[in-house]
């Protein structure tokens, strides 16, 4: 077999092993925090997903983790073969009670599971679940140069609600943040 066909066959086999028949999720448990942080930290060097410039510690994320109560602002994980494949968090927007009907979504997928439908699964489930936690608007803050995330949110009806031009500085390059939003109907 030619090398390019061998590589193609190997890629198909790897994909087949990594993709579950259907995704599922559950509320994150404290023992998931190290995997959640590992997935998050793996995105930092790309300068595509987060404004953190250095890896964060598990200890620095404990308070954030504890803010994710299942009935108010859940934090979900999805696993495949006992490995956390990705996570989605509902976070409080702006921290004042009058904004409780709005939640910010964050989606992080382990590199080995990207482009396998998990991001779509998470957004679909978040939209469906929002009314159960009293949320009627979902928002996302996405870097303007993060085309995959912008496309993913657009696929689920998120519209551009605003832009914060040049508010981040990543490796001496100013980057925009796009505010995406969507109303959720019960």
């Amino acid at each position: 077999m030619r090398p390019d066909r061998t590589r193609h066959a190997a890629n198909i086999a790897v994909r087949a092993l990594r993709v579950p028949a259907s995704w599922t999720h559950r509320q994150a448990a404290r023992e998931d925090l190290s995997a959640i942080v590992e997935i998050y930290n793996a995105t930092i060097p790309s300068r595509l997903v987060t404004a953190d410039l250095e890896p964060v510690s598990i200890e620095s994320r404990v308070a954030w983790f504890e803010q994710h109560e299942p009935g108010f602002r859940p934090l979900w994980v999805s696993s495949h073969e006992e490995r956390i494949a990705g996570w989605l968090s509902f976070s409080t927007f702006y921290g004042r009670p009058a904004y409780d009907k709005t939640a910010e979504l964050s989606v992080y997928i382990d590199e080995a599971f990207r482009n396998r439908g998990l991001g779509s699964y998470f957004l679909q489930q978040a939209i469906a679940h929002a009314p159960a936690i009293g949320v009627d608007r979902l928002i996302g803050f996405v870097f303007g140069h993060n085309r995959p995330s912008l496309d993913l949110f657009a696929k689920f009806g998120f519209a551009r609600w605003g832009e914060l031009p040049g508010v981040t500085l990543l490796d001496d390059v100013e980057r925009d943040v796009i505010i995406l939003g969507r109303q959720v109907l019960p």
Side-chain angles (χ1 to χ4, degrees):
M1 203 181 270
R2 290 190 342 229
D4 58 333
R5 285 189 182 182
T6 303
R7 187 172 37 250
H8 179 70
N11 286 340
I12 290 171
V14 168
R15 271 189 245 128
L17 291 173
R18 290 187 180 157
V19 182
S22 63
W23 292 107
T24 60
H25 68 276
R26 63 175 170 75
Q27 178 67 24
R30 178 64 172 83
E31 53 270 13
D32 299 322
L33 186 54
S34 63
I36 290 167
V37 169
E38 182 179 333
I39 291 168
Y40 180 84
N41 282 340
T43 69
I44 293 172
S46 73
R47 302 299 196 245
L48 193 62
V49 183
T50 179
D52 274 312
L53 302 175
E54 299 294 330
V56 300
S57 68
I58 295 168
E59 295 75 28
S60 73
R61 301 302 285 171
V62 170
W64 167 86
F65 178 86
E66 291 174 351
Q67 293 170 357
H68 289 89
E69 301 171 24
F72 182 62
R73 296 294 183 260
L75 171 59
W76 295 337
V77 294
S78 183
S79 301
H80 180 60
E81 297 178 355
E82 299 184 28
R83 177 176 170 186
I84 302 290
W87 56 271
L88 175 139
S89 66
F90 287 80
S91 295
T92 297
F93 171 68
Y94 209 60
R96 294 193 178 99
Y99 294 109
D100 281 353
K101 68 187 201 116
T102 301
E104 177 188 350
L105 295 179
S106 297
V107 180
Y108 286 82
I109 309 296
D110 182 303
E111 185 174 14
F113 295 96
R114 291 183 194 149
N115 300 309
R116 311 276 191 260
L118 181 54
S120 292
Y121 168 80
F122 271 142
L123 282 184
Q124 181 180 30
Q125 295 299 309
I127 292 164
H129 186 68
I133 57 171
V135 169
D136 68 6
R137 285 175 180 63
L138 295 168
I139 58 173
F141 294 87
V142 179
F143 286 140
H145 63 289
N146 185 344
R147 181 55 40 202
S149 289
L150 292 170
D151 291 346
L152 174 64
F153 277 82
K155 175 179 167 182
F156 287 91
F158 284 77
R160 188 181 187 124
W161 283 5
E163 179 178 349
L164 303 170
V167 296
T168 58
L169 187 63
L170 298 170
D171 299 328
D172 297 322
V173 178
E174 288 186 351
R175 298 293 189 170
D176 303 339
V177 172
I178 308 301
I179 303 167
L180 302 172
R182 179 202 156 120
Q183 185 171 3
V184 178
L185 302 174

